[in-house]
Amino acid sequence: MSIDILNLSYEELEELLVKLGEKKYRAKQITGWLFKGVKDFDSITDLSKKLRDMLDEIAYIGELKIQDKHVSRDGTIKYLFKLEDNNLIESVLMEYKYGFTACISSQVGCKMGCKFCASSELGFVRNLTAGEMLDQILSIQKDSNNRIGNVVIMGIGEPLDNYENLMKFLRQANLPEGLNISYRRITISTCGLVPGILRLADEGMSVNLSISLHAPDDAKREKIMPVNKAYSIDKIISACNIYTEKTKRRITFEYAMIKDFNDSEQDAVSLAGKIKNMLSHVNLIPLNYIEGSEFKPSDRKRIEKFKKILENNGIPVTIRRELGDDINAACGQLRRSVINRN
């Protein structure tokens, strides 16, 4: 079976080259070309014709196809990528004052079943490989002609449910010979898979961790996030404290503001009580409405009041800037519309 060379770690690429009778340093040359976006071995001109031919026989360079692309009035770009097996995933390019950020997917579909998420209703198909995760960044860079300096793994899927491929991707993205993205500029968003959080704490990577909390207590969280039945808020917070202790990285708690469900003054007080004195901050998210959903976004006045209560309790808090709202940039929305249309 032919190998997707993007899916090989640097060490695995070195081993492959040695088996082919080549020197290990060829891995550095190949990696440099791969991360420039090259998609065929013949374009790697500092390799011999013999080696290029050998690589052609046993390997290929994975390539995502842009199935659809929407550009927002604020410059945000949403991509719908087609994989080689014709499955669809989404990625988003966002510009901030500190540079360009890519939001990428980690799975085709999702198992977690969150009630307010567009990815959930279509179910889970499969994990993405490390190469497919990398190629989202490479494809965005090539199409937009912008260097990606920050990555959030916050698109379709639960990253910690695809742990081995996630770790491989992180190491590849961090390679000095490749994308050279600092771990501190990478954020993993999870709905709270406690074993994965604890494993990640021991990896020595210092990546940022974002927890999709979205409720101040277990009763409410279980209504919208089935994963809470396995991992309660207290278990998640305990794991987060271990993570911050080992990595010295601040935790972000993502909190989607849902009208008349989790946005009352008492909800804010309850949330503050759960996370007070933690190395953390809260990111309040105006809910992205999904057609047909029972959940509606809170109004701005209520979000501001919620924010003020948290601040009065000494908790750093921001309200997420709404990027790409005119192109349905929330994860899963574009894929959902295309699949449902077909």
Side-chain angles (χ1 to χ4, degrees):
M1 183 180 291
S2 194
I3 305 165
D4 178 1
I5 207 159
L6 270 180
N7 200 38
L8 297 182
S9 68
Y10 193 79
E11 294 73 22
E12 288 169 338
L13 181 55
E14 285 182 326
E15 290 172 12
L16 176 64
L17 289 164
V18 169
K19 286 180 183 177
L20 294 175
E22 294 287 335
K23 301 293 186 182
K24 283 186 176 182
Y25 76 85
R26 294 290 184 193
K28 185 174 182 178
Q29 291 175 304
I30 293 170
T31 298
W33 283 96
L34 292 176
F35 286 86
K36 289 176 184 174
V38 162
K39 291 300 180 184
D40 64 272
F41 294 115
D42 278 339
S43 296
I44 306 179
T45 53
D46 48 4
L47 300 183
S48 68
K49 179 70 165 59
K50 178 183 175 184
L51 177 54
R52 282 180 277 163
D53 288 344
M54 284 192 293
L55 289 171
D56 261 329
E57 288 179 11
I58 63 170
Y60 67 98
I61 304 172
E63 183 173 11
L64 304 180
K65 304 292 185 185
I66 298 177
Q67 173 84 0
D68 204 353
K69 172 183 168 183
H70 293 179
V71 182
S72 169
R73 58 177 172 258
D74 62 30
T76 299
I77 304 176
K78 181 149 194 177
Y79 294 91
L80 186 69
F81 288 119
K82 180 182 281 189
L83 307 175
E84 293 195 2
D85 61 3
N86 292 322
N87 275 302
L88 301 173
I89 57 169
E90 294 178 13
S91 309
V92 181
L93 174 67
M94 299 165 286
E95 184 177 7
Y96 296 94
K97 61 184 179 181
Y98 49 77
F100 289 93
T101 295
C103 176
I104 67 168
S105 295
S106 56
Q107 296 177 315
V108 181
C110 186
K111 300 175 186 175
M112 299 300 113
C114 299
K115 304 300 184 186
F116 53 87
C117 178
S119 300
S120 293
E121 70 176 61
L122 298 175
F124 174 77
V125 180
R126 68 171 177 86
N127 287 325
L128 293 183
T129 66
E132 289 168 330
M133 295 172 73
L134 278 170
D135 203 22
Q136 292 173 69
I137 299 173
L138 298 178
S139 297
I140 291 171
Q141 288 191 151
K142 183 177 180 180
D143 180 73
S144 68
N145 199 31
N146 292 305
R147 184 186 179 276
I148 303 299
N150 301 271
V151 177
V152 291
I153 310 158
M154 197 179 284
I156 296 170
E158 164 55 56
L160 297 184
D161 188 45
N162 186 15
Y163 193 87
E164 300 304 330
N165 285 318
L166 175 66
M167 291 302 106
K168 198 172 192 179
F169 160 76
L170 292 174
R171 293 186 178 98
Q172 289 292 84
N174 181 245
L175 274 178
E177 298 85 357
L179 292 173
N180 195 27
I181 299 174
S182 166
Y183 288 134
R184 291 172 177 262
R185 292 185 174 272
I186 299 175
T187 298
I188 296 170
S189 176
T190 175
C191 64
L193 301 191
V194 169
I197 294 171
L198 296 176
R199 285 182 72 184
L200 187 63
D202 290 328
E203 295 285 353
M205 288 182 169
S206 296
V207 296
N208 301 300
L209 188 62
S210 178
I211 306 294
S212 295
L213 198 63
H214 306 314
D217 57 65
D218 289 329
K220 286 190 176 182
R221 196 166 190 260
E222 284 183 17
K223 289 180 180 178
I224 57 173
M225 300 182 72
V227 69
N228 201 78
K229 295 174 184 177
Y231 306 113
S232 67
I233 292 177
D234 285 347
K235 288 180 180 177
I236 292 169
I237 288 174
S238 176
C240 286
N241 280 321
I242 292 170
Y243 188 84
T244 58
E245 183 180 337
K246 290 187 175 181
T247 66
K248 312 305 178 189
R249 304 301 289 164
R250 182 178 69 169
I251 299 285
T252 295
F253 289 106
E254 304 283 353
Y255 195 98
M257 297 293 292
I258 305 173
K259 184 178 180 181
D260 299 328
F261 176 75
N262 66 354
D263 62 349
S264 70
E265 293 181 30
Q266 183 54 51
D267 289 325
V269 171
S270 296
L271 177 61
K274 289 282 188 185
I275 64 174
K276 203 167 186 177
N277 301 320
M278 287 185 69
L279 180 60
S280 68
H281 94 283
V282 174
N283 191 20
L284 299 178
I285 307 167
L287 181 73
N288 287 288
Y289 176 68
I290 301 168
E291 187 177 350
S293 172
E294 64 182 289
F295 300 111
K296 307 291 192 299
S298 304
D299 63 55
R300 187 72 185 193
K301 186 176 179 181
R302 202 151 193 179
I303 296 173
E304 292 286 355
K305 183 177 287 188
F306 199 100
K307 176 176 182 284
K308 189 67 175 176
I309 292 170
L310 293 179
E311 288 175 334
N312 289 342
N313 280 274
I315 296 168
V317 55
T318 53
I319 299 174
R320 179 183 289 176
R321 184 158 61 105
E322 295 181 81
L323 295 176
D325 59 332
D326 56 319
I327 57 170
N328 291 329
C331 62
Q333 289 184 327
L334 181 55
R335 175 175 176 263
R336 174 181 180 264
S337 67
V338 169
I339 290 176
N340 286 344
R341 189 165 66 237
N342 295 336

